[in-house]
Amino acid sequence: IMKVLDQDNNILKDLIDSLSDKLKNSIVFFANIIDNKVVYICKNKTSIFRAGDLVKKAAVVSLGNGGGRADFAQSGGKDITKVDDALQAVKNIIEENI
């Protein structure tokens, strides 16, 4: 789980794919603060979680919405002051279920 600033989302997706390819049974989750909004991107290689559920949880905390597939998802939020809370919420979900 990582927060970054002003990164190109397409390059970030490539980075997430690269990291995920090197890690078995993993979740790679980024929050990209760009243009006074936040984009959450997640790649999931576990059977326990769904990437869509994780990004949706983060988005809701930061006044947004989104989702996606079990293995890959993206969402957005409008309140960048809530990004740390959103990341903590995702971290809590993961820690409570592993």
Side-chain angles (χ1 to χ4, degrees):
I1 297 177
M2 180 164 285
K3 176 173 62 173
V4 295
L5 303 173
D6 297 319
Q7 299 301 308
D8 179 287
N9 284 320
N10 290 323
I11 293 171
L12 195 55
K13 287 178 189 174
D14 290 342
L15 173 64
I16 290 168
D17 280 337
S18 180
L19 286 171
S20 181
D21 288 345
K22 295 178 184 343
L23 303 169
K24 295 180 181 180
N25 201 32
S26 64
I27 297 170
V28 180
F29 192 104
F30 275 80
N32 184 25
I33 299 173
I34 187 167
D35 296 328
N36 211 32
K37 296 177 192 160
V38 60
V39 176
Y40 301 103
I41 305 170
C42 179
K43 181 132 185 205
N44 172 47
K45 290 173 67 176
T46 73
S47 60
I48 300 171
F49 302 100
R50 291 184 44 81
D53 294 342
L54 295 174
V55 297
K56 183 171 183 128
K57 176 63 175 180
V60 168
V61 171
S62 55
L63 306 179
N65 206 346
R69 303 184 317 251
D71 64 328
F72 184 84
Q74 180 175 321
S75 68
K78 298 173 189 166
D79 187 349
I80 62 171
T81 68
K82 302 287 187 190
V83 171
D84 290 334
D85 293 338
L87 293 178
Q88 187 61 52
V90 171
K91 186 176 181 180
N92 290 345
I93 291 168
I94 294 168
E95 288 176 348
E96 291 168 2
N97 291 286
I98 56 171

